[in-house]
Amino acid sequence: MVAKLLRDHTGVEVDIVAVDDIAGGKGITLFSTGGALPVGTARLSADDYDLIWARRLRMPQRGAPSDGGEASAYANSESQAAIEGFCLGAGEDQVVVNPILAERRAESKLWQLHIAPVLGFDIPDTVCSNSPADIRSAVESMGGHAIVKKLRGTHHRSLLTLAVTPTMLADDDALAAAPLLVQQRIDAECHYRVNVFLDEIMAFRIESDALDWRPGAGRGAVLVELPSALARLCLDFREASGLYYCVLDLVQARDGRVYFLECNPQGQFLFIEQRSGQPVSIAFARMVLGLLDLRDRVASLPQQLPV
């Protein structure tokens, strides 16, 4: 959608590279020196682009061996390293959305939970530990009203946020297997999905009291204007992270207090756009034109999504 908007309305040329189709594909050259010019294969050079939108770089390679063994891990790791290296090779006058090193840091939930309260956000009571005794103590201090969520997870299985149960707390081996992120459960009045494109915000209120609203993604999503102080915090978080674009997940408790939950440095927005009918893609395109210093072309973009 974004590529079509830019091509059709602003004259910006766009190439799309399927970064999950590097391994086992037709062949692509991402770097060469001297006379080692590629013959008969696609060639990419960061120097050919003014802006690179680097998204989903860690997705499993479709052409990798399907056995999940060492060969599969190698194909995925090396393909990811190649495309990340390509983006890191961009010059000072080129823009990468988002800067790779800033995005790596911003993906860390612990970094997010460190910086959010420094900026002024409220966050739920939190512990990250694989000490069974400390986890049980933390959950007890939360009145047994706690959730557990992944720090990073894997691409092999989608892990939703879950309520902590007595059965979980009784299994020392499971608690000690790896650090867990345990938080006070917030009784939700609603959720906010906040898209931040440079200095522009598109925030959606999700009417749901569910622990994790994503299985019903976008249900009741309504475009809203955030209170000015809350909007300022979202902009400050985006700036502190070094990102151009990010999506923040916030929750409003029944007492009206709003808590920061997490940041998605490359958060999806098309599902919200499709369910709300709001032109989030156009806001992203405006950001791209701003980063390219082509603000005079913003007026060429449509105001609403095509029917």
Side-chain angles (χ1 to χ4, degrees):
M1 175 62 78
V2 174
K4 181 173 176 58
L5 285 167
L6 292 170
R7 286 179 182 137
D8 293 354
H9 297 280
T10 71
V12 171
E13 296 182 10
V14 179
D15 290 333
I16 298 176
V17 177
V19 295
D20 61 346
D21 202 20
I22 303 296
K26 296 180 180 179
I28 186 169
T29 297
L30 298 167
F31 182 83
S32 63
T33 61
L37 297 177
V39 177
T41 61
R43 180 178 184 272
L44 287 181
S45 171
D47 294 337
D48 294 337
Y49 298 93
D50 298 309
L51 184 144
I52 300 168
W53 181 16
R55 188 168 186 274
R56 301 170 71 87
L57 300 187
R58 295 180 181 176
M59 288 298 292
Q61 293 290 306
R62 291 184 292 175
S66 59
D67 59 4
E70 184 176 350
S72 175
Y74 179 81
N76 282 299
S77 176
E78 294 302 285
S79 297
Q80 176 188 330
I83 199 70
E84 282 192 351
F86 170 82
C87 295
L88 288 167
E92 293 183 359
D93 295 332
Q94 297 161 299
V95 179
V96 178
V97 180
N98 282 303
I100 299 298
L101 298 181
E103 184 165 300
R104 282 183 185 170
R105 181 181 67 172
E107 286 175 339
S108 167
K109 286 186 170 63
L110 293 185
W111 179 85
Q112 296 173 20
L113 292 169
H114 166 76
I115 198 66
V118 171
L119 296 173
F121 276 110
D122 290 323
I123 64 171
D125 288 341
T126 303
V127 64
C128 178
S129 176
N130 68 333
S131 163
D134 287 351
I135 292 171
R136 283 191 282 264
S137 176
V139 172
E140 183 179 357
S141 74
M142 299 171 188
H145 204 53
I147 60 95
V148 60
K149 60 199 300 186
K150 65 182 180 182
L151 283 167
R152 179 179 293 168
T154 72
H155 292 296
H156 297 292
R157 182 179 180 184
S158 178
L159 299 174
L160 298 177
T161 300
L162 299 172
V164 174
T165 66
T167 300
M168 292 179 187
L169 294 176
D171 190 338
D172 278 12
D173 289 340
L175 295 179
L180 298 174
L181 187 62
V182 177
Q183 292 186 307
Q184 175 82 45
R185 178 171 179 172
I186 305 300
D187 290 325
E189 176 73 25
C190 67
H191 296 259
Y192 291 101
R193 181 84 167 178
V194 185
N195 301 270
V196 187
F197 307 107
L198 289 179
D199 293 329
E200 181 176 358
I201 288 176
M202 290 192 75
F204 293 85
R205 180 180 170 112
I206 314 291
E207 297 294 344
S208 173
D209 60 1
L211 180 60
D212 194 327
W213 58 267
R214 289 173 298 174
R219 178 170 54 87
V222 177
L223 183 67
V224 296
E225 183 175 349
L226 296 177
S228 59
L230 183 57
R232 183 69 258 169
L233 287 177
C234 295
L235 293 172
D236 288 347
F237 187 97
R238 197 278 305 162
E239 184 174 358
S241 69
L243 306 174
Y244 297 119
Y245 148 66
C246 63
V247 176
L248 306 183
D249 286 324
L250 314 177
V251 61
Q252 180 174 312
R254 297 190 186 281
D255 62 4
R257 191 175 177 185
V258 176
Y259 293 84
F260 171 94
L261 296 182
E262 64 182 54
C263 165
N264 298 280
Q266 288 279 3
Q268 299 183 49
F269 54 79
L270 285 182
F271 73 93
I272 288 287
E273 178 174 275
Q274 291 164 357
R275 288 163 174 78
S276 68
Q278 295 296 329
V280 190
S281 294
I282 296 174
F284 189 97
R286 283 196 293 268
M287 178 195 71
V288 169
L289 293 175
L291 290 170
L292 291 172
D293 200 20
L294 296 174
R295 295 174 183 83
D296 57 320
R297 304 190 192 185
V298 169
S300 300
L301 291 169
Q303 297 300 306
Q304 298 296 328
L305 297 171
V307 178

